[in-house]
Structure formats: structure tokens, C-alpha cells
Amino acid sequence: MSRKTFIESEGATCKNWNWSWSFINESKRHIIFGAWDVYTDNSRAKIFSTDWQINRRGHKNKAYDQSREHIRLIEENGYRLLTFPMKRSKDTADDNNRSGPAKISGFTATLSEKTLVRIENDWFGIALGAATRLAEELAKPEKYPEGARWTATINAYERNPKARSACIEHHGHTCAACGFDFARAYGDFGKDFIHVHHIIPIGKIGKLYDVDPKEDLIPVCPNCHAMIHRIEPPLTITELRKLLQATHDVTNVNRSRVC
């Protein structure tokens, strides 16, 4: 089955079958994006970026405006996002060619509904359910499989008094993402309270190891901790700061318009 045959069997179409990577089914209000394997990490796949507007030859990508409109329909008009896996050919599957013409070496004719998440200038399709995770600092530690056995998650490490104290002694009690200080907000009642985030998820490390409190742990408030772990893989502190800054900028613009 060709990609065109597959997309048409789902009732969707596009402007040009040679260069389109997103498609629309008007009657069902579906937007379908091909998700490149080189931009897919666990349950998160980057499907659109403003960096893709200009290709490596310095020309505007022909499919850019169409895909940007499809993103708008999802964000503003309530269209549902569906994706299917696409495998990028080896001669274009590298970072230097990420904005150039891409060649498909294969695809999987299966659609999966996704949640659309924007992180600054990139848009991701997130597996349903993956965008509702809570922070890892839970009352009952979660567990992750490692081969044929189960190992407790980073909760055990984060709650190690020595590791936690060393992290906070180095970084302080202020949230590394938003700058929130519980003692400043709640007085003595909030003194010394902060979550401690493990920068590299224990599931990716795959083995027991000694935590470096200065490099591996960082203090964050519960809100930021929850947002970091709302998708998989988790956001980095830098990505979360960019989200906060973008929201802050939009809020200021709206306030200025009202005034």
C-alpha cells in the first residue's frame, strides 16, 4: 500500500502528494501528520517546527504553510490530531538535513490519536494519557521495568536525606524553573519546602548508581515538577523556562491591549 492510498482510505487529502507531510479529513475534522522516526522519542513525536520553514537549500518548504494551517485547526478549531509512523531514509535522517527534502523509506499504516503540545517553536504529538502524569515525587513510588525485574524509581533517591540536603544546599530552596520561594510566600510554614527533581529519569539510566546531588538533582516547585513530567520524555528545565517565558510574554501583550 502506498502512503497516498493509505491516507485516502482514511478520507483525508492534501495539496500535493509529493511534498505534504500533513493531511486533512474535513468531514470528520481530523488532521493527520506523518511522524518521522528521527523525531520520535517514546510517546512524544515532533510533528511541526518553525525551523522547518526554510530548507537546507535556502528555499521555503512547500508543505510548510499547509501544515501550519493544520496545526491552527487543531489548536483553534478543535480538529483531532492523528499520526502514523514514518521512517526517514538514511541519506536525510540526520540533524544537518532536518530542514531539507525528506525521503520516506517506509511507514506504518496505522493511525493513533494524539494530544498536541507546543514547546516554544516546536509542536509535538503526545500519546493520549502520557500528558496527564504527575510528578515523580509521589506518596507511593511508581515502578519501572528493567528487563525481567522491577526496580523502585527515583523517589527512593530523591528522598535520601543526604542527597536531598546536598542538592538544596547547593541550589537553594527556590524553584529552578519559575523562581517560586515557599518561605517568601508562606513564611516560616513554607520554610525548607521544595520538590527535588531528578534530571535524568531513572528509567533511562537502567541501573542503580550513585546520585550526584549537584548535577543529577535540582529543586523545583510542585507545579513545575508536575509540568516537567506531564509528557514523556519529561521536559528539561530549559524547555519549561521557555514555556513560562512565552506565556508571560503573551499575558503582558494581552494586558497592554486591555489597558
Side-chain angles (χ1 to χ4, degrees):
M1 179 188 296
S2 68
R3 186 182 63 152
K4 179 181 179 181
T5 301
F6 167 57
I7 296 299
E8 287 184 329
S9 72
E10 297 293 337
T13 188
C14 62
K15 292 181 179 179
N16 185 290
W17 293 103
N18 290 324
W19 41 252
S20 294
W21 79 84
S22 63
F23 314 88
I24 184 170
N25 181 324
E26 291 280 8
S27 62
K28 292 185 177 180
R29 295 171 63 83
H30 288 176
I31 297 295
I32 301 173
F33 268 85
W36 292 109
D37 57 342
V38 293
Y39 298 124
T40 299
D41 187 357
N42 293 330
S43 62
R44 175 168 63 173
K46 182 162 68 173
I47 60 172
F48 186 80
S49 174
T50 55
D51 292 339
W52 298 350
Q53 184 172 11
I54 305 299
N55 63 32
R56 57 189 170 129
R57 296 190 178 93
H59 301 147
K60 185 172 182 178
N61 277 323
K62 295 179 179 179
Y64 182 86
D65 288 341
Q66 173 183 254
S67 292
R68 184 65 186 91
E69 171 61 13
H70 289 165
I71 291 290
R72 188 194 69 79
L73 290 173
I74 299 170
E75 292 180 323
E76 300 178 10
N77 289 22
Y79 278 61
R80 293 168 61 192
L81 170 63
L82 299 99
T83 68
F84 65 95
M86 293 195 306
K87 188 175 182 181
R88 201 168 184 178
S89 60
K90 293 183 179 180
D91 59 337
T92 58
D94 60 78
D95 289 340
N96 293 329
N97 292 332
R98 65 183 182 276
S99 296
K103 298 178 181 178
I104 302 174
S105 63
F107 72 95
T108 302
T110 302
L111 294 180
S112 301
E113 186 171 358
K114 300 294 176 64
T115 298
L116 183 67
V117 174
R118 179 178 182 176
I119 301 176
E120 203 178 27
N121 295 322
D122 299 327
W123 285 259
F124 297 86
I126 310 296
L128 295 181
T132 58
R133 296 183 58 208
L134 297 176
E136 285 184 317
E137 187 165 296
L138 301 172
K140 296 182 179 179
E142 296 175 351
K143 294 183 178 181
Y144 292 88
E146 294 180 356
R149 61 192 178 87
W150 292 85
T151 301
T153 68
I154 197 60
N155 290 277
Y157 293 94
E158 289 182 350
R159 292 178 179 179
N160 180 301
K162 292 182 179 179
R164 177 183 174 85
S165 296
C167 167
I168 295 174
E169 181 179 355
H170 179 72
H171 294 288
H173 289 85
T174 302
C175 177
C178 72
F180 189 83
D181 186 327
F182 282 90
R184 184 179 301 171
Y186 298 101
D188 289 342
F189 186 71
K191 186 178 180 181
D192 297 335
F193 182 82
I194 195 73
H195 276 199
V196 173
H197 167 62
H198 196 281
I199 295 173
I200 302 176
I202 192 69
K204 285 196 172 184
I205 296 170
K207 60 180 180 180
L208 299 178
Y209 76 109
D210 293 328
V211 171
D212 182 336
K214 297 180 181 180
E215 300 295 329
D216 298 336
L217 304 178
I218 193 164
V220 291
C221 70
N223 280 353
C224 287
H225 206 182
M227 291 297 100
I228 286 171
H229 288 283
R230 192 166 188 239
I231 60 176
E232 180 64 33
L235 295 177
T236 64
I237 295 295
T238 299
E239 287 176 328
L240 187 60
R241 285 172 180 163
K242 289 179 178 179
L243 276 176
L244 288 167
Q245 184 59 50
T247 304
H248 181 268
D249 292 343
V250 170
T251 301
N252 285 342
V253 169
N254 290 337
R255 284 176 178 172
S256 65
R257 289 174 178 171
V258 172
C259 294

